[in-house]
Amino acid sequence: MNVVRSRRELRLVLHDGRRGLVPTMGAFHEGHFSLMRAARAECEQIVVSLFVNPTQFGASDDLAQYPRDEARDVRLAEREGVDVLFIPSVDEMYPPGFGTWVDVDVSGGEASARAGHFRGVATVCVKLFNLVRPDVAFFGQKDAQQAAVMRRVVDDLNLGVHLRVLPTVRDADGLALSSRNVYLSADEREQALALPRALETARSAPDPVAAARAALNGLEPEYVELLRVGDATLLTAAARVGSTRLIDNVILEGELA
Ligand code: AMP
């Protein structure tokens, strides 16, 4: 596996053949591995980017605390058969004078809860697409609205990258895997289970939003909303448990291609 940190080094290790990109912020877990494995099955060269993208964090977000363990991530990416691990510095991605943004017209859910979040996500993903030039990019259903936003960007800007959206990987108790789960105390983790349970319970209810709200067991949601992603309808929710912000969703109808 090649670990590269600069655009120049990256260019040197790319070769012809179907290329897959898995954009991540590191602190790898089974959710990330499922994307890497899907890429491995479909592509000749797999590039994983590991970049905690500051522009998608708001002023009150957890950028400084975001879990980082580069040595562990390098080991695990190697184990998963990743060909290239791209770990750029903030300066490499946003050199002095940087001033061009991909501003996506999107509202509701994370867009309303985290102003500027998707501008940061779309900008960094377009930069990664331009640097890696993947045939296929892999995203997780866990961040379904992010996948929907990136579909919009790829279509609107004619980027010619195929997007795959892979199902959410969960712990045995149902909690969606997330790098942020390490912040949860044992008690908080127990409370957090109300989120996937409420979504699951609400799935077949006549009014899923009301049913999920009612089933949240005291957890105060930031939002519970229906979200269209392509042909699929999802029930999405975000809630804070202690100081940790969690998001989750279930598919009500259709499929995420
Ligand atoms: P992150 O490192 O949290 O930015 O996530 C990188 C990619 O992994 C994104 O496309 C996420 O949607 C995806 N991902 C994160 N958690 C999960 C999960 N539990 N199951 C499937 N995909 C996930």
Side-chain angles (χ1 to χ4, degrees), residues 76 199 206 223-224:
L76 293 172
L199 293 173
Y223 62 80
V224 180

Side-chain angles (χ1 to χ4, degrees), residues 23-26 29 31-32 35 66 139-140 142-143 146 167-169 177:
T24 81
M25 300 204 299
H29 52 65
H32 298 115
L35 304 185
Y66 198 82
F139 289 90
K142 160 81 185 350
D143 302 278
Q146 166 173 283
T168 302
V169 179
L177 296 186

Side-chain angles (χ1 to χ4, degrees), residues 11-12 18 63 82 93 107 127 134 170 174 189 193-194 250:
R11 235 183 351 260
L12 293 174
R18 193 169 176 78
L63 175 61
V82 169
M93 294 300 275
S107 61
K127 285 173 66 69
R170 296 177 182 281
R189 215 201 124 88
L193 291 176
V250 291

